[in-house]
Amino acid sequence: ADAEGLFLHSPHVVELEPSRFNQVVFLDTRAWMVVYYSEWCGHCVRYAPVFERIAAAHESHAELKFGAINCAQYGEFCGSRSVHAFPTVRAYHFPGLKGSFTEDGGEVPRNLARQEEAISDWMLTQRGVAATSASGKLPLGVAATSASSEPTLNDPGRPASAAEGENASSVTEVA
């Protein structure tokens, strides 16, 4: 049975398939924000309009694209990308973000992915575009380093990598 993608009719978010993922996202020189989701996941269903609004707000940025992949339909692919919780947002081709030039993509902090203004500022900052919020401060979840102008992620809620590895085979729906 075919799964129902949450973004199939979206004018702003590309519904991705594994067979074209590398060509469309990984080999593209533009930055991509990709949400890995499952249509049966309540948190994913509630997050879809938020991700859609974020994508719509950046429609004028030709160097930034938004995609989504349905892990209920493509579970093996999502597992191969180390996605075990839904929704998971990953960033590709963001110079300021560790891992964003790998096939797994760079992790976008969960607390940040749900804040529309903050994630917008964060994306521009990670792309190397000077961005500050209306208050003139760096977005929540981003801290400037004293050694360089590159911001670093400040996500104390992220579990240690050893703990992540222990539950690698389980799938979790996250708030």
Side-chain angles (χ1 to χ4, degrees):
D2 287 337
E4 284 295 318
L6 296 178
F7 299 94
L8 286 175
H9 303 290
S10 170
H12 308 290
V13 180
V14 177
E15 189 77 43
L16 300 163
E17 297 178 2
S19 63
R20 297 188 31 82
F21 187 89
N22 282 347
Q23 179 183 356
V24 173
V25 176
F26 191 63
L27 297 177
D28 194 345
T29 57
R30 294 172 292 188
W32 278 82
M33 295 291 288
V34 176
V35 62
Y36 292 81
Y37 73 92
S38 181
E39 88 271 353
W40 53 254
C41 160
H43 293 296
C44 300
V45 171
R46 286 187 294 279
Y47 182 65
V50 174
F51 194 72
E52 178 75 28
R53 285 192 303 272
I54 293 167
H58 292 277
E59 186 175 32
S60 65
H61 294 111
E63 74 286 353
L64 181 59
K65 300 289 286 178
F66 292 82
I69 190 154
N70 186 352
C71 295
Q73 188 172 7
Y74 303 115
E76 187 175 320
F77 176 81
C78 295
S80 75
R81 294 296 197 258
S82 302
V83 174
H84 305 291
F86 306 120
T88 292
V89 180
R90 299 272 176 86
Y92 295 85
H93 308 129
F94 282 73
L97 180 61
K98 180 182 175 185
S100 76
F101 289 92
T102 67
E103 287 186 349
D104 284 356
E107 287 282 345
V108 176
R110 290 188 186 284
N111 65 327
L112 191 62
R114 287 163 177 75
Q115 300 175 43
E116 292 175 50
E117 183 179 330
I119 190 68
S120 294
D121 289 346
W122 179 87
M123 286 185 297
L124 295 173
T125 301
Q126 295 302 315
R127 284 292 292 163
V129 177
T132 56
S133 66
S135 66
K137 298 177 183 174
L138 282 171
L140 179 66
V142 176
T145 62
S146 57
S148 75
S149 61
E150 288 293 322
T152 57
L153 292 179
N154 181 18
D155 187 19
R158 182 172 164 80
S161 58
E164 288 174 336
E166 291 171 15
N167 253 349
S169 64
S170 66
V171 173
T172 309
E173 185 175 332
V174 293

